Amino acid sequence: MRLHDRNWMQIEEYLKHDDRIVLPVGSTEQHGYLSLGTDAILAGRVAEEAAEPLGIPVLPTLPFGMAPYFTTYPGSMSLRMSTYIEVIRDLLDVLAGQGFRRIALVNGHGGNAPVTGLIREWTSAHREPSVEVLFHSWYNAPQTAAAASRFSEVQLHGAWVENFAWTRVEGATIPEGSKPPMSRALAGVLSAAEMREAAPDGSHGGDYGRPDADMQQVWDAGVREVRDLLENGWMKS
């Protein structure tokens, strides 16, 4: 259930029988011909679909992350690491203070991964009462990655693996075919200006799209994997 579809009294009642909650985290950044909100859209949607039958509340998606390498593309936003870490810390503090003991961050953006260090530090300081925080990057989790690999081993930024019906935007014509893939190692060291030059349309290569039937298989695997995490992924439950 979406938190915005409930009032505070209903959430207080929920806490009497369950202590799980989901925080989707994404980014607002260029994704080639796809929506600037792709990472946030996908993280929020996969979290909501996974949590709905379990009755677990899902917070609004945090739409900004760490993406300094994309800031030369208009509309792309980036928080400093120090800022992002403190935002996550503040949210975890509030959730724990309200009684949530199992908190799942469903992540849609690779640049957010460094926050796992903060999570480890934070949970170590909350042993009593015990609070568990999971950080799950849904798009490259084992089952989801395996589903995508059935169609192509090349799964790069702004290309087919993020091209769902709900990440396309009105007025944008996505090219057919593919482009040469960018090296992941190279992408990891380019400055913002160099990135814009190396990927002028934003895509990092491979196929621009695949049939929606293929994409639905990838999506279904992602939803199943997140749902299994919310049901069975807790070490202290």
Side-chain angles (χ1 to χ4, degrees), residues 41-221:
I41 291 167
L42 296 178
R45 184 170 179 137
V46 77
E48 289 172 5
E49 289 190 21
E52 182 61 29
L54 306 177
I56 300 172
V58 178
L59 288 154
T61 304
L62 183 62
F64 302 120
M66 296 179 283
Y69 35 80
F70 287 146
T71 53
T72 55
Y73 298 86
S76 300
M77 301 289 104
S78 184
L79 297 177
R80 289 174 295 175
M81 183 179 294
S82 58
T83 301
Y84 189 74
I85 284 173
E86 292 309 312
V87 169
I88 298 297
R89 189 195 308 273
D90 285 350
L91 295 175
L92 293 177
D93 284 345
V94 170
L95 291 171
Q98 292 174 353
F100 293 99
R101 295 291 173 262
R102 290 176 290 173
I103 305 167
L105 275 65
V106 175
N107 176 49
H109 171 55
N112 293 338
V115 81
T116 54
L118 174 274
I119 291 171
R120 185 69 179 270
E121 173 189 288
W122 187 90
T123 52
S124 295
H126 287 76
R127 296 182 185 277
E128 293 297 338
S130 178
V131 181
E132 186 172 0
V133 180
L134 303 178
F135 184 89
H136 177 80
S137 293
W138 80 271
Y139 54 90
N140 66 0
Q143 295 173 34
T144 307
S149 294
R150 290 200 295 267
F151 305 112
S152 175
E153 292 294 336
V154 181
Q155 302 165 25
L156 296 175
H157 177 85
W160 76 271
V161 77
E162 298 179 295
N163 184 348
F164 295 90
W166 42 90
T167 57
R168 299 172 201 145
V169 298
E170 184 177 356
T173 301
I174 300 174
E176 296 182 358
S178 63
K179 62 183 286 190
M182 179 186 295
S183 159
R184 291 184 186 273
L186 176 64
V189 299
L190 294 179
S191 68
E194 291 168 337
M195 183 67 79
R196 180 67 186 266
E197 183 177 355
D201 72 354
S203 169
H204 286 190
D207 294 338
Y208 280 99
R210 290 200 62 83
D212 282 346
D214 294 351
M215 299 308 297
Q216 189 64 49
Q217 291 185 47
V218 177
W219 185 254
D220 289 345

